[in-house]
Amino acid sequence: VFLKKKFRVPDLDFVVQTMNAVGACFQLFFVAIFVTCLTPFVCYEHPNNLGFSMNSEPGVLCNNTGDHLSMEIVSSLAVLLVIIPYLCMTSYATVTYRSAMENASTSGRHLHMFRFLFFRYHPHAYWYG
């Protein structure tokens, strides 16, 4: 986005293009990041009732100490710093969509900023949405 602004389109709105690029990247990797963040919290019980182990790493006990505690902390930080901001951004874009379309001065900027959300679906292929 920076190089595009510098060499090709000098009057490019940097914030709008950056939001669109970041949103598209987050949308691409959202499911993988979300599943990875939840893996430390998925545990199964041992058959002899001696505790719980992680489903993805049976050698790690789910006892909130050592390796498991550090995995839980990193996963919680990832949820707070990646998942929740993305969900807030997409929720904000969806809730404000109608009012932004009614206001002619902000409709173009809002549409370009959240293009990764709203321009994925076309009327002639509505059944895929």
Side-chain angles (χ1 to χ4, degrees):
V1 174
F2 175 74
L3 294 175
K4 184 177 177 182
K5 180 177 174 67
K6 184 159 177 83
F7 295 114
R8 296 187 76 200
V9 186
D11 59 339
L12 183 76
D13 192 351
F14 185 73
V15 174
V16 169
Q17 294 297 323
T18 303
M19 282 289 290
N20 183 43
V22 169
C25 290
F26 272 103
Q27 190 173 25
L28 183 66
F29 296 113
F30 180 75
V31 173
I33 293 170
F34 188 71
V35 169
T36 303
C37 288
L38 292 182
T39 52
F41 302 107
V42 180
C43 299
Y44 68 91
E45 188 175 3
H46 290 216
N48 54 5
N49 294 330
L50 291 178
F52 292 88
S53 286
M54 280 181 55
N55 204 13
S56 61
E57 289 289 330
V60 178
L61 297 176
C62 295
N63 55 4
N64 296 330
T65 58
D67 290 338
H68 188 252
L69 181 63
S70 62
M71 288 180 192
E72 284 180 332
I73 291 171
V74 169
S75 290
S76 299
L77 286 174
V79 167
L80 288 174
L81 298 175
V82 177
I83 303 296
I84 291 176
Y86 177 75
L87 290 176
C88 289
M89 180 181 67
T90 55
S91 298
Y92 169 77
T94 304
V95 168
T96 60
Y97 179 78
R98 183 177 179 144
S99 63
M101 293 305 103
E102 291 172 353
N103 187 356
S105 65
T106 61
S107 65
R109 192 166 199 262
H110 189 272
L111 277 177
H112 285 292
M113 189 178 299
F114 299 111
R115 183 174 45 210
F116 67 96
L117 286 175
F118 302 124
F119 290 141
R120 291 181 56 197
Y121 307 107
H122 302 283
H124 62 275
Y126 64 90
W127 54 86
Y128 293 120

